[in-house]
Amino acid sequence: MRSPSCIEWLFGPLAFILCIGLLILCVSPAHAASGQVANPAARLETLPANAAEQQPYPQMGAPANPRVDARFNAYHDYQQATQLMQELVRAFPEYASLQSLGQSYGGREMWVLTISDPATGPAESKPAMWIDGCIHANEIQATEVVLYTAWFLLETRASNSFIQQLLRERTFYLMPIMSPDSRDSHFYDANTTHSPRTGMRPVDEDRDGLVDEDGPEDMDGDGHIAQIRVADPNGRWLADKDYPQRMTRAKPEERGTHTLLGEEGYDNDGDGLVNEDGPGGYDPNRNWGYNWQPEYIQGGAHQYPFSILENRMVADFMAAHPNIAGAQSYHNSGGMILHGPGAQNTPYPGQDDQLYRAIAEKGAQMLPGYKPMVIWEDLYTVYGGEVDFIYACLGAFTYTNELFTTHDFFHSDTSQEDWQGSRSEPRKFDDLLLFDQGFVDWHPAEHPTYGAIEIGGQKKGWGRQPPSFMLEEECHRNMAFSLYHADMLPLVEVQSVSSRELPGGLLEVTAVVGNRRMIPTRLAIDVSKGISRPDWISIDIAPNRERNAAVLAGYIGSDQFFSTASEQADKPWRLNISSIPGNGAVYCRWIVRSGKGPITVTVDSVKGGRASASL
C-alpha cells in the first residue's frame, strides 16, 4: 500500500471539516424555516416581529377588521338583534344612537337605530332614509338586511369614501324588527315556513266567542308544523317521482294516491274543523292609515286604521321626522322590487311613477333575479299598506323588496316566463346542496279525527328563507339598492349668489339654488296634496334687522335669464318654492336696500336639507 501524498494529507481533514459544516447548515434556522427540521420553535423565530400587527387581507365588500364582529350567515333572534344594536352604539357612539318607540303587545322594545355624521349637522336637519324589516314575522331575513345595513354603514365609514359622503349628507333611521313578538314565535315555537305572518294579539277568527283556541300543534314534537296526508285511491295528490317528500297534484290523466288534510293539529274546540283559529289573525301590512278598507273587503285589516299599536308607534315616529324623504321595507319572498300604488283606485302621478321605475331598474341590475313590479297591477291589491301610507301621507319615496328568489338556487335565466322559477327547484336544491335538510320524511301517526295518517313535508326554516351560505349576499345586494336609493334623495345647494347695483341705492340680488340628486325636494304627490310645506329660499341682509323694510320685492324666475318671472308679494324675503326638480335648479331674485354687511341666501327644504351662501 502506498503512502498518502502531501496533498492528500492536507485535503483529508478539510473534507472532514466541510462535511461537518454542511451537517450544521442543514439544521440551521434557515433550513428549519423550509420545513427540513422537526423543531417548530426554530420556524417561529424567523417570522417578522410585528406579524400579529400586520393589516389583514384587504377583502372587498366588507370591513376587514370590524369593531363589532357580527355574523350574517346566521339569523338573529330578538335578544341577539338587540345585543348587536347595543354593541354597535357602544362601538360608534358618535355616529349611532338607539331608542325604543315603546313596547310591543308582548312587552318587547320597538328599537330604532339612528345613524348619521354629527359633524355636518343634527340628524333631523338632513334628508333621511327609513329602512324597516319583518312587519310579517315569518319573513325573518328582512331583519338581517336591516341589521347588516347598520353594521356596514358604521364599520366601513372610516375606509369608504362613499359611505362617508352618505353619512355626511343623510340620516338613516333603521328598524330591524317591526313584529318582534311573532318573529320570536317563528324562531322558538313550532311553525311552518309561512307562519306566523300575523302579530300575536288574540283574534276570534272563527267567531265562536273564543280567541286563538284552535291553532296548529306539533304532533310529532320535531319543532315543525308539517303537512298531514292520508292514503286514498281516489285522492288527487301523489308523491313526486324524483323527490318523494314533495307532494304534487295528479295530472288529469293520472290517478292520485293521497289526500292532503292540511297542517299538523287537532280539532281543539270540537267544531269539526282543524286549525281554524290560531295565534293572532290579522295582517300588520293591511292596517295603515291610507286607503284602509274593513275586514270584509281587505282580509287582515283589523278593527280600524292603526288599531295595531306597533304600526301606530312607527307612524308617530315618521310623522315626528318629516325629514324622511325615502323609505325601504323588506319582506319575503319572490325576488320583487315593489312600489305602489297598492290599489287601482289610487294611481300615482306620472312624474313620480317615472322616478319609481328608473330607480327600480337600477335595483334589478344589483339584484339578479329580482323584478320591478307595481303592487296592484303585477301582484295583488293591497289596501291599507305601509308603502302607500309612507308615500301618500308622508310624501316619501318608498319601495318594498320581497327578498329571495328561486332563481338564486341555480342561477337560472330570469328572462323566462315563469320568473319565480319552478316549484320543484327548492326540492332539487335541498337534495343537491342542503343534503336533505329541508324536508321532513313522511312517517306514520294516529290522529283522533282522521285515524291513520302520515306527517311530512317542508320544514319551517326552508322555503321562504335563504340558507345560511346565501344569506349574506342577499343582505349585501339589497343593502346596496337601499344605499343607492338614499343617495338619490334630494340634496339642495346654493350654486351662486350675484348682485347688480340699481339707481337709488338699491341692489338686485340673484341666486341659483339647485338639487344635486334625481329625486325632487317634493314629490308630485306632496305638491298636489300639500303634505309638507314648500321649500323656503330666504335672503338675509346684515346689518338690517328689519327684513321687511330691506327687501322690497322677491321674484321666482322660469330660467336663468328670468325670461318670465312671478312676484311673491307676501314676505318677499322668504320665497316659497313648490319643489326643486331632480338634477335641476330654481332661480330667485330680490330688490333690496343695500346694507354694508354680507348678504346671505339660505335654502331650507323639509326633505332636501339646508344650505347657504353669501356675497
Side-chain angles (χ1 to χ4, degrees), residues 172-310:
F172 290 85
Y173 301 119
L174 303 110
M175 188 172 209
I177 313 178
M178 291 187 70
S179 293
D181 302 335
S182 42
R183 187 173 186 272
D184 257 24
S185 173
H186 179 84
F187 270 66
Y188 295 110
D189 299 333
N191 277 289
T192 72
T193 190
H194 307 296
S195 68
R197 179 182 172 90
T198 175
M200 301 305 285
R201 284 172 181 76
V203 174
D204 181 9
E205 292 178 84
D206 57 353
R207 300 187 179 185
D208 63 354
L210 303 173
V211 293
D212 295 1
E213 82 286 353
D214 195 2
E217 281 94 9
D218 183 10
M219 297 174 58
D220 55 4
D222 64 356
H224 308 281
I225 299 296
Q227 291 180 303
I228 297 174
R229 75 181 184 185
V230 61
D232 182 358
N234 298 312
R236 298 305 300 148
W237 291 86
L238 46 81
D240 187 285
K241 58 183 177 60
D242 295 318
Y243 308 111
Q245 293 99 326
R246 177 176 174 267
M247 299 297 292
T248 61
R249 279 194 179 276
K251 296 177 182 178
E253 68 274 15
E254 293 178 319
R255 295 198 64 178
T257 57
H258 291 82
T259 293
L260 288 179
L261 300 173
E263 299 168 354
E264 290 179 78
Y266 306 107
D267 177 13
N268 295 302
D269 54 3
D271 63 355
L273 301 174
V274 175
N275 302 345
E276 83 282 2
D277 194 352
Y282 54 90
D283 189 330
N285 199 36
R286 305 295 186 270
N287 183 247
W288 296 77
Y290 178 78
N291 204 23
W292 180 89
Q293 298 293 331
E295 189 77 27
Y296 71 90
I297 294 176
Q298 175 66 82
H302 209 237
Q303 300 163 346
Y304 50 85
F306 294 126
S307 59
I308 299 172
L309 177 63
E310 294 88 346

Side-chain angles (χ1 to χ4, degrees), residues 490-509:
L491 189 66
V492 296
E493 64 176 353
V494 180
Q495 294 179 351
S496 66
V497 182
S498 59
S499 65
R500 182 170 68 94
E501 290 186 1
L502 300 176
L506 300 180
L507 198 66
E508 177 188 88
V509 179

